[in-house]
Amino acid sequence: MTQRDTKAVEKETEPQQADQTDNHDGTAPKLSKRAQEALKTANPLTETLLAKVLGNQYAPENPEGLLNAGVAENSLMADWLLEHYKKNLNLTFTDLTYGDALAGSKRLYGALLKLFERYFHAIKPVKGEHMICGTGVSAVLDQLTDKICDEGESILIARPYYNGFDVDVSARCRASMQGVEIPADVDPASPKILEYFEAKLQELKQSGKNTPRAVIMCNPNNPLGFIYPKETILEYCRFCQRHNLHLISDEIYALSLYKNKTNTTSPPFQSILSIDVMQEAQCDPARVHVLYGMSKDFGSNGLRVGVLVSQHNKQLIKSFNGSAILMKISSPADVLWTSIIGNEKVLTEYLDKAQSLASDTLNCTLSWLEKLNIQHSNPVAGHFIWIDLRAFLPNKTSKGKKLTDGNAKEWELFTRLLDEGNVYLAPGVIYHSTIPGFFRLTFTLRREYLKVGMERIEGILKKIEAENAEA
């Protein structure tokens, strides 16, 4: 988003002094320094946008609602999940208490151990003492940041990257994400990208600000949808060992895999849990931590279950246990996820169907993009396609004002899709993309919803194309 857009919304949403206190003497009750800093960095535009996107969503019974093709949600298996959940919410007396552990029930731990063994091929068996469960991966990452970063320190990540990380590490802990720019002519999945991490780290060292304490490797990648080959994972390990950094492997899309008709050469997904990082990269495994969760692979963003696996850092896990109550997951969410991942027959049925539906939906979307001559990424995992709409950037605003700046053009296209097309498509700027004109399209929608989204997007793009031709 442009500075101009942010300032405009901030002005519109700026609270009046009278709203800040009800005290008769006119003095406001004091907020903490952390809260005051949060007010300074809060983005009213994001809050306004989310309210609009989530508050009036498209459905057959609400045909004028906003079609959400920007948030990473997988609704392809929604009917299957709802039916399964209705039949399997089997609570016990213990579920009405604090249960048998604050950091995750023995029931859920048992199911996760089997999941990590079979699908993540953990080279060292994952045990309950290696795990911490919490209310979603965001909550777990917030707590992890608290344990490994002090205020003002930072975490490195390749651009473009999932924008939620910014909030996860900064909202409470006051750390920051530091994006590493990868040149357009460099394969973002290749080991060569660590050269740019090296340059970014040296830049931060020279500035004396935002000292890096960790690196996030998002594998499979969000928003680009690729899978890192083993060689790149090992290079990440070497880099972190060389600079004494923690390595956080976010594997939340590990099982959201599918066949892409235009990409048959991608490496298979390989969890860092399956690699002996000490032997193959001379990397201390105590610095390696894995994030996983229920939201994406199991289409249940709202149930909020996240997991940290750290097999070789007992002190970290011990420190987590001290604050586990702050993010204890609810018993119903615990029961429902366990009912899938703890039953091998059910899990196999679910994953087979989910991956098949994702493949069909992806290839349908790719055919539509090709029809419109829209360049795009070739994802093999995740819920989204990174699409290049630079050819459709408007040369003027809807009110006729000429546009020359690329960022302003991207924002105008985003706004027109939202306001005129009634469809939310996530602009690249929110993922810290430095090249205006890229958007993240979520394709894992019910087919009838996806069709509506395609029609709305296509209508706006053709309208802008015609306007540009007239100018």
Side-chain angles (χ1 to χ4, degrees):
M1 65 194 71
T2 64
Q3 188 177 33
R4 179 201 64 205
D5 293 315
T6 303
K7 287 185 175 179
V9 176
E10 285 176 348
K11 186 172 181 62
E12 291 173 7
T13 58
E14 185 176 354
Q16 300 300 311
Q17 185 65 33
D19 295 332
Q20 297 179 21
T21 177
D22 291 325
N23 289 5
H24 297 297
D25 63 1
T27 59
K30 185 178 181 298
L31 295 180
S32 69
K33 291 181 180 179
R34 292 186 304 276
Q36 292 175 43
E37 285 299 314
L39 287 173
K40 292 178 184 177
T41 57
N43 189 338
L45 183 59
T46 301
E47 296 171 9
T48 304
L49 175 60
L50 281 176
K52 183 169 185 175
V53 171
L54 302 178
N56 180 34
Q57 296 196 54
Y58 170 86
E61 60 272 18
N62 183 30
E64 300 305 314
L66 186 74
L67 197 292
N68 183 357
V71 176
E73 294 180 338
N74 183 355
S75 57
L76 295 175
M77 291 290 289
D79 293 337
W80 187 99
L81 286 165
L82 288 171
E83 183 179 353
H84 175 84
Y85 289 158
K86 288 174 183 177
K87 293 178 180 178
N88 290 277
L89 184 56
N90 301 314
L91 298 172
T92 67
F93 169 76
T94 304
D95 291 314
L96 303 181
T97 72
Y98 283 114
D100 50 29
L102 294 179
S105 72
K106 293 178 181 178
R107 170 184 55 210
L108 179 56
Y109 275 5
L112 284 167
L113 302 188
K114 294 177 182 177
L115 183 79
F116 288 128
E117 178 182 6
R118 177 169 180 181
Y119 292 96
F120 291 67
H121 306 291
I123 194 168
K124 175 181 177 179
V126 179
K127 300 179 180 179
E129 65 200 52
H130 301 150
M131 293 191 296
I132 296 288
C133 293
T135 48
V137 170
S138 285
V140 175
L141 181 54
D142 164 71
Q143 289 277 345
L144 178 58
T145 305
D146 181 68
K147 307 296 186 275
I148 64 177
C149 292
D150 289 319
E151 185 170 337
E153 295 180 335
S154 69
I155 299 176
L156 301 176
I157 191 169
R159 285 180 166 175
Y161 66 86
Y162 166 57
N163 59 318
F165 287 145
D166 291 315
V167 176
D168 296 345
V169 308
S170 69
R172 191 176 63 83
C173 303
R174 314 310 299 166
S176 67
M177 296 299 299
Q178 293 293 319
V180 176
E181 184 67 17
I182 309 299
D185 61 348
V186 174
D187 178 359
S190 72
K192 185 176 177 60
I193 66 170
L194 275 304
E195 295 177 13
Y196 302 96
F197 275 78
E198 187 74 43
K200 182 67 175 182
L201 184 140
Q202 297 306 324
E203 173 192 322
L204 291 171
K205 279 187 175 181
Q206 290 175 12
S207 72
K209 299 177 181 179
N210 305 119
T211 300
R213 292 299 179 200
V215 171
I216 291 182
M217 175 181 65
C218 196
N219 186 32
N221 185 271
N222 176 7
L224 301 182
F226 64 78
I227 292 172
Y228 283 109
K230 183 178 181 180
E231 294 77 11
T232 304
I233 298 174
L234 292 175
E235 201 60 35
Y236 266 107
C237 292
R238 296 184 186 104
F239 174 79
C240 290
Q241 180 66 29
R242 191 160 59 246
H243 297 289
N244 192 22
L245 304 174
H246 292 268
L247 176 55
I248 304 165
S249 184
D250 176 4
E251 302 182 4
I252 197 170
Y253 291 101
L255 303 180
S256 293
L257 310 172
Y258 36 77
K259 294 179 180 179
N260 179 337
K261 66 180 182 180
T262 62
N263 185 349
T264 59
T265 60
S266 170
F269 169 73
Q270 183 169 13
S271 170
I272 200 169
L273 293 173
S274 69
I275 300 173
D276 187 336
V277 299
M278 175 61 83
Q279 180 177 342
E280 298 197 52
Q282 294 73 55
C283 174
D284 181 356
R287 68 178 74 256
V288 175
H289 320 293
V290 174
L291 298 176
Y292 188 62
M294 183 182 186
S295 297
K296 308 305 180 182
D297 291 346
F298 295 90
S300 300
N301 283 2
L303 292 184
R304 313 308 303 144
V305 184
V307 185
L308 169 79
V309 179
S310 188
Q311 292 182 291
H312 301 271
N313 199 319
K314 292 181 180 179
Q315 292 300 105
L316 176 68
I317 295 296
K318 186 176 180 180
S319 69
F320 256 98
N321 279 315
S323 57
I325 187 64
L326 301 178
M327 58 174 190
K328 187 182 187 307
I329 62 175
S330 70
S331 294
D334 179 309
V335 168
L336 293 177
W337 199 21
T338 302
S339 71
I340 299 177
I341 64 174
N343 184 319
E344 191 55 47
K345 181 179 178 182
V346 171
L347 179 58
T348 300
E349 175 191 341
Y350 173 82
L351 291 177
D352 286 348
K353 187 173 180 63
Q355 292 177 0
S356 176
L357 281 172
S359 295
D360 290 344
T361 309
L362 170 74
N363 289 309
C364 170
T365 309
L366 292 178
S367 295
W368 172 71
L369 291 170
E370 289 162 9
K371 182 190 76 170
L372 297 180
N373 293 317
I374 294 175
Q375 298 298 308
H376 54 80
S377 62
N378 279 309
V380 292
H383 300 161
F384 28 74
I385 307 173
W386 190 246
I387 62 175
D388 182 355
L389 297 184
R390 284 178 291 180
F392 299 92
L393 291 177
N395 294 324
K396 60 182 179 180
T397 69
S398 58
K399 296 181 179 180
K401 182 179 179 181
K402 187 177 180 181
L403 296 171
T404 56
D405 178 69
N407 291 319
K409 289 183 176 184
E410 177 181 283
W411 195 255
E412 178 67 18
L413 175 54
F414 163 72
T415 301
R416 293 187 64 174
L417 285 165
L418 193 68
D419 294 340
E420 298 177 26
N422 216 13
V423 59
Y424 171 54
L425 196 60
V429 66
I430 69 174
Y431 303 105
H432 303 276
S433 173
T434 56
I435 304 175
F438 286 88
F439 286 72
R440 194 187 75 169
L441 166 66
T442 297
F443 71 89
T444 49
L445 308 177
R446 299 175 189 233
R447 189 61 67 90
E448 62 271 25
Y449 285 50
L450 182 62
K451 182 180 179 183
V452 172
M454 288 176 173
E455 291 172 351
R456 292 182 179 183
I457 293 169
E458 186 171 344
I460 294 298
L461 294 183
K462 288 185 175 179
K463 183 179 179 180
I464 291 174
E465 193 173 39
E467 290 174 358
N468 286 345
E470 292 174 1

